[in-house]
């Protein structure tokens, strides 16, 4: 299924329980669609959310709210049923907001173009913590729920690990020669995989974040987005417009799954039941792929690839143990590695 959005999309997210998908656009709008396997998707909402592009978007509050973030430094909460603005924070960040990720039922995190990551309590409408984690834009965020750790990648070439229980930056990698653009955690938490500007996948062993343990050269261009299919397999979206199925340890590109277009793939996402894989690109199209069909119908030979391995230890290498489960207005920034807590910062001022 294909939807012509009419503008370049920057982010997409599927509703956690209903057949709904939302897309943020360069125009500052977001669109909400209802989809089904036997019908063309139907547009339900078209909302003007921001004065600048709608760069980040996530369903929140069990799917009742759509949160959006923008280079105008604002965040907006909109009602999913009506599209009406619930609340807005005009200066959520001091710099352009680039990423949003859900943490718990009542918390989300956001990252901006100057490397700042913030954690928000949506119930109390406050900023819980601010982490000056990076020196360049936050390219991706990944939450490990059972250990309450938030991982971030950045254009400065570093991977950060934030301990949300202790409210501190727990670990950070050395600077890579590459911009880190995307990340997933796999192998039951033992490996962190980062996509880069050069097309290499960098593999970090959990707890040994200073330098990557493996470097997998298999993509011809930048790896802009990653999705974990299972503990051994991921799906990548690249600058060459190709969606690939990739095996991790052993490292190999198993097969190309689809070609979105000749333009870079901006984002990938799974529907709630993994029936559909959503992809957006600079061709202004949202495509919904039947994921089981993609996996069943593409059994060709693997692409040629190169694998360069520094070390590969399948054991749980830990020197920082995971906890067991149970560009706009400027502000003065805290020093690198510092965190600050705010219980009085309004999360979203009521409209």
């Amino acid at each position: 299924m294909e939807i012509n959005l009419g503008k370049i999309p920057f982010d997409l997210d599927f509703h956690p329980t209903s057949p709904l998908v939302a897309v943020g656009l360069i125009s500052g709008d977001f669109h909400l669609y209802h989809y089904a396997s036997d019908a063309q998707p139907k547009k339900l909402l078209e909302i003007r959310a921001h004065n600048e592009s709608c760069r980040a978007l996530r369903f929140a509050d069990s799917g009742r709210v759509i949160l959006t973030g923008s280079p105008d430094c604002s965040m907006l909460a909109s009602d999913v049923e009506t599209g009406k603005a619930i609340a807005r924070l005009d200066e959520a960040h001091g710099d352009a907001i680039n990423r949003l990720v859900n943490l718990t039922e009542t918390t989300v995190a956001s990252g901006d173009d100057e490397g700042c990551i913030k954690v928000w309590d949506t119930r109390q409408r406050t900023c819980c913590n601010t982490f000056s984690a990076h020196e360049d834009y936050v390219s991706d965020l990944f939450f490990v729920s059972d250990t309450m750790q938030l991982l971030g990648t950045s254009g400065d070439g570093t991977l950060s690990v934030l301990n949300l229980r202790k409210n501190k930056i727990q670990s950070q990698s050395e600077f890579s020669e590459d911009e880190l653009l995307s990340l997933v955690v796999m192998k039951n938490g033992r490996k962190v995989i980062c996509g880069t500007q050069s097309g290499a996948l960098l593999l970090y062993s959990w707890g040994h974040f200073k330098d990557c343990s493996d470097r997998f050269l298999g993509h011809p261009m930048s790896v802009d987005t990653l999705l974990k299919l299972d503990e051994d397999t991921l799906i990548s979206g690249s600058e060459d417009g190709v969606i690939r199925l990739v095996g991790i340890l052993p490292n190999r590109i198993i097969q190309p799954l689809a070609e979105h277009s000749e333009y870079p793939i901006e984002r990938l996402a799974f529907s709630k039941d993994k029936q559909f894989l959503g992809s957006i690109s600079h061709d202004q199209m949202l495509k919904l792929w039947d994921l089981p069909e993609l996996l069943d119908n593409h059994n060709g030979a693997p692409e040629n690839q190169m694998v360069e391995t520094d070390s590969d230890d399948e054991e749980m290498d830990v020197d920082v143990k995971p906890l067991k489960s149970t560009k706009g207005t400027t502000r003065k920034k805290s020093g690198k590695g510092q965190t600050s807590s705010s219980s009085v910062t309004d999360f979203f001022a009521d409209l």
Side-chain angles (χ1 to χ4, degrees):
M1 291 183 283
E2 297 184 356
I3 303 168
N4 189 339
L5 301 167
K7 297 287 191 301
I8 293 174
F10 279 161
D11 203 2
L12 83 157
D13 195 29
F14 285 89
H15 193 277
T17 58
S18 301
L20 302 174
V21 60
V23 186
L25 305 177
I26 193 172
S27 61
D29 299 347
F30 74 80
H31 294 179
L32 179 67
Y33 295 89
H34 178 275
Y35 62 88
S37 57
D38 57 353
Q40 182 66 14
K42 178 183 178 182
K43 185 191 293 184
L44 302 180
L45 294 173
E46 181 174 345
I47 303 298
R48 177 70 171 178
H50 299 279
N51 293 327
E52 297 184 36
S53 61
C54 183
R55 197 187 280 180
L57 177 148
R58 284 293 178 271
F59 285 99
D61 193 15
S62 300
R64 291 185 287 268
V65 170
I66 297 176
L67 290 179
T68 54
S70 171
D72 65 13
C73 303
S74 71
M75 292 173 64
L76 175 68
S78 302
D79 184 270
V80 168
E81 290 190 2
T82 65
K84 291 183 178 179
I86 299 171
R88 180 189 296 272
L89 181 60
D90 286 327
E91 295 185 1
H93 278 256
D95 296 279
I97 298 170
N98 196 49
R99 282 289 178 261
L100 286 171
V101 67
N102 290 311
L103 305 180
T104 68
E105 277 293 306
T106 59
T107 55
V108 298
S110 54
D112 70 25
D113 272 5
E114 290 297 321
C116 176
I117 297 174
K118 292 190 176 187
V119 177
W120 304 89
D121 186 321
T122 58
R123 180 176 49 195
Q124 298 296 324
R125 297 184 177 184
T126 57
C127 176
C128 307
N129 282 284
T130 299
F131 300 89
S132 296
H134 298 281
E135 296 180 359
D136 206 336
Y137 68 96
V138 177
S139 56
D140 206 1
L141 296 168
F142 190 99
F143 180 55
V144 183
S145 58
D146 57 348
T147 63
M148 290 298 291
Q149 289 165 304
L150 178 64
L151 280 66
T153 51
S154 171
D156 66 9
T158 65
L159 166 70
S160 64
V161 182
L162 312 181
N163 187 320
L164 300 186
R165 286 200 175 106
K166 296 183 178 180
N167 297 324
K168 70 175 187 178
I169 299 175
Q170 184 166 311
S171 187
Q172 191 155 27
S173 72
E174 296 176 351
F175 289 93
S176 166
E177 296 176 359
D178 248 344
E179 294 182 21
L180 304 188
L181 304 180
S182 50
L183 82 153
V184 290
V185 177
M186 298 177 62
K187 294 292 183 179
N188 298 304
R190 297 198 306 268
K191 294 292 180 179
V192 179
I193 294 86
C194 299
T196 68
Q197 182 69 34
S198 70
L201 293 182
L202 304 186
L203 280 67
Y204 292 84
S205 294
W206 189 273
H208 293 271
F209 296 112
K210 290 303 178 183
D211 197 7
C212 64
S213 59
D214 299 270
R215 183 180 174 87
F216 169 28
L217 307 178
H219 294 79
M221 302 178 77
S222 66
V223 183
D224 299 331
T225 179
L226 294 172
L227 282 180
K228 182 172 79 172
L229 183 63
D230 54 43
E231 296 301 333
D232 302 312
T233 317
L234 61 80
I235 295 177
S236 67
S238 178
E239 186 182 355
D240 63 1
V242 178
I243 300 169
R244 293 176 172 88
L245 186 65
V246 181
I248 299 298
L249 298 177
N251 299 333
R252 64 191 184 110
I253 293 184
I254 299 171
Q255 61 201 40
L257 291 177
E259 184 174 1
H260 182 109
S261 70
E262 60 184 7
Y263 298 102
I265 294 173
E266 192 73 32
R267 210 70 173 155
L268 296 171
F270 290 131
S271 64
K272 59 186 178 68
D273 53 3
K274 283 193 174 179
Q275 178 64 36
F276 292 100
L277 171 67
S279 63
I280 52 174
S281 176
H282 296 183
D283 66 348
Q284 305 183 10
M285 302 294 291
L286 164 63
K287 296 189 178 183
L288 301 181
W289 309 88
D290 187 306
L291 184 58
E293 184 177 310
L294 279 184
L295 297 174
D296 288 343
N297 292 348
H298 290 76
N299 296 312
E303 291 185 347
N304 292 328
Q305 74 280 316
M306 297 171 59
V307 180
E308 180 183 313
T309 304
D310 299 323
S311 65
D312 178 25
D313 188 351
E314 277 293 297
E315 296 301 316
M316 181 67 166
D317 301 323
V318 177
D319 57 11
V320 182
K321 280 195 174 183
L323 296 170
K324 292 300 178 185
S325 175
T326 35
K327 279 173 177 197
T329 358
T330 58
R331 292 179 182 167
K332 186 176 180 181
K333 301 178 181 66
S334 56
K336 184 174 175 60
Q338 296 178 349
T339 66
S340 61
S341 176
S342 171
S343 59
V344 296
T345 304
D346 289 339
F347 175 42
F348 289 128
D350 288 328
L351 295 176

